């Protein structure tokens, strides 16, 4: 738990729940609010929609700020909404919207929310490890992570940090809760225990992953994901492919549009059958139109060279004119600029 706190870079209480990431999302709804509380949900993708569904399921009264897939909710729009609704108790957002590859301006939003009575709940499940998130400095009241993303271990653990401002709201919250009772969880965690039988095998794996992350440095893990994302964007441009979120690209995944008329499922399937590699299709209405390549966690440039080389072949196979090697060269160029400067030591 100390390793997790260090990796997340916060002095707030940080708890571990036996659940996939959505379990901590649900806990953030059920532990800090009461029915009919007014909240704001920023929604620009499938995970934003999950927030909206969740707060509705628990009887909150959400103002849902929706933006098209690939776009983001702007801090200005949030400021305007909070200005017009001083009774808002919480703001829910995705740091990185994994379904579209876009990233929100969490720092600017935190600055606005900090000045209001509302707490800021950030689903950072793919934000942690791919973008700076200064929980204490910016004022992220609830920061949520999941084991299977940048933490590089199987799904089954969720992480949640809780600020003093959020704990104060917890005291006034009268939402029914039982399994995900964070107050009880904190009491037990302080004794080195957990409320319920913990997922011990995952905790042991997490300990090893956190040693890796903290030895490397969270900032270096973030930098790595950001460089791989940048290289992927350059490769896409070299191959005449359009980004799905050109204006707000995050670094957890890069979502790329397939050329007009080409089903992205062919690229996803091609990776699996030809290269034993897994990339993701679009979700919901984006399915068939985009494919997503991950950068978070244990990926490096050697993976990138291979993935882009495979992509070129699959595009060519499916009728997109490709000059083989052009995308790979774009990745090599980014690597040469940023990483070859470091001398090799023996
Ligand atoms: C993966 C992910 C989740 C959590 O999904 P689970 O299936 O519950 O682990 C939530 N939000 C985002 C942005 C994610 O990428």
């Amino acid at each position: 738990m100390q390793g997790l706190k260090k990796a997340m870079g916060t002095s707030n209480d940080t708890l571990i729940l036996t659940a996939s990431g959505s379990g901590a999302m649900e806990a953030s709804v059920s532990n800090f609010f009461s029915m009919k509380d007014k909240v704001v949900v920023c929604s620009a993708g499938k995970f934003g929609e999950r927030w909206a569904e969740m707060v509705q399921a628990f009887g909150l009264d959400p103002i849902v700020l929706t933006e098209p897939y690939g776009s983001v909710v702007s801090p200005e729009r949030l400021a305007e909404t909070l200005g017009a609704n001083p009774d808002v108790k919480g703001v829910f957002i995705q740091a990185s919207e994994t379904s579209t590859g876009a990233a929100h301006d969490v720092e600017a939003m935190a600055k606005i929310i900090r000045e209001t009575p509302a707490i800021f709940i950030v689903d950072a499940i793919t934000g942690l490890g791919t973008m700076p998130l200064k929980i204490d400095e910016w004022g992220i009241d609830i920061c949520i992570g999941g084991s299977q993303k940048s933490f590089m271990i199987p799904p089954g653990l969720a992480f949640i940090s809780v600020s003093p401002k959020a704990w104060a709201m917890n005291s006034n919250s009268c939402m029914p809760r039982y399994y995900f009772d964070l107050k009880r969880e904190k009491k037990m965690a302080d004794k080195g225990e957990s409320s319920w039988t913990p997922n011990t095998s995952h905790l042991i794996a997490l300990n090893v992953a956190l040693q890796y992350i903290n030895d490397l440095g969270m900032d270096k893990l973030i930098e790595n994901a950001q460089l791989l994302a940048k290289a992927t964007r350059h490769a896409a441009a070299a191959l005449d492919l359009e980004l799905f979120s050109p204006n707000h690209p995050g670094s957890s995944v890069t979502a790329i549009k397939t050329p007009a008329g080409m089903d992205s499922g062919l690229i996803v399937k091609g990776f699996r059958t030809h290269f034993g590699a897994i990339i993701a299709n679009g979700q919901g209405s984006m399915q068939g139109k985009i494919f997503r390549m991950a950068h978070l966690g244990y990926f490096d440039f050697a993976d990138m060279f291979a993935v882009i080389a495979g992509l070129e072949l699959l595009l060519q196979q499916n009728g997109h004119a490709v000059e083989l090697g052009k995308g790979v060269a774009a990745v090599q160029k980014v690597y040469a600029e940023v990483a070859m400067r470091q001398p090799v030591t023996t």
Side-chain angles (χ1 to χ4, degrees), residues 129-130 217-229 338 342:
T130 66
M218 190 56 140
D219 53 333
K220 285 278 179 282
L221 190 72
I222 292 170
E223 188 184 307
N224 181 62
Q226 292 185 332
L227 282 176
L228 297 179
V338 298
Q342 283 159 24

Side-chain angles (χ1 to χ4, degrees), residues 227-343:
L227 282 176
L228 297 179
K230 180 179 170 182
T232 306
R233 293 195 296 271
H234 283 238
L239 297 171
D240 292 321
L241 297 174
E242 249 182 279
L243 298 174
F244 189 60
S245 179
N247 299 324
H248 311 277
S251 301
S252 62
V253 292
T254 298
I256 299 173
K257 291 191 199 174
T258 34
M262 190 191 295
D263 187 330
S264 61
L266 293 170
I267 303 293
V268 174
K269 207 164 170 199
F271 264 106
R272 210 180 265 266
T273 50
H274 287 280
F275 307 114
I278 298 170
I279 64 162
N281 204 324
Q283 292 166 262
S285 62
M286 294 169 276
Q287 189 174 357
K289 301 196 177 94
I290 61 171
F291 56 89
R292 294 173 296 148
M293 292 174 160
H295 316 299
L296 76 188
Y298 202 70
F299 285 101
D300 64 17
F301 269 87
D303 297 316
M304 229 42 254
F305 298 144
V307 164
I308 299 300
L311 174 64
E312 290 177 357
L313 288 164
L314 292 168
L315 287 167
Q316 189 181 58
Q317 186 190 40
N318 288 290
H320 181 64
V322 171
E323 191 187 316
L324 290 181
K326 219 174 158 190
V328 177
V331 178
Q332 287 172 315
K333 194 155 170 271
V334 172
Y335 189 78
E337 278 163 15
V338 298
M340 290 300 272
R341 278 178 296 155
Q342 283 159 24

Side-chain angles (χ1 to χ4, degrees), residues 42-58:
C42 301
S43 174
K46 298 309 284 181
F47 291 102
E49 289 163 18
R50 185 174 300 182
W51 268 144
E53 285 168 12
M54 237 179 220
V55 301
Q56 265 155 352
F58 279 84

Side-chain angles (χ1 to χ4, degrees), residues 20-22 25 47 50 94 96 98 123 125-126 148-149:
S20 78
S22 303
M25 290 172 73
F47 291 102
R50 185 174 300 182
Q94 269 66 39
S96 148
T98 324
D123 164 2
I125 294 175
T126 53
Q148 79 272 33
K149 305 286 168 71

Side-chain angles (χ1 to χ4, degrees), residues 74-85 112:
S74 70
E76 293 75 26
R77 190 170 174 208
L78 176 66
E80 211 172 279
T81 307
L82 291 178
N85 297 276
I112 296 159

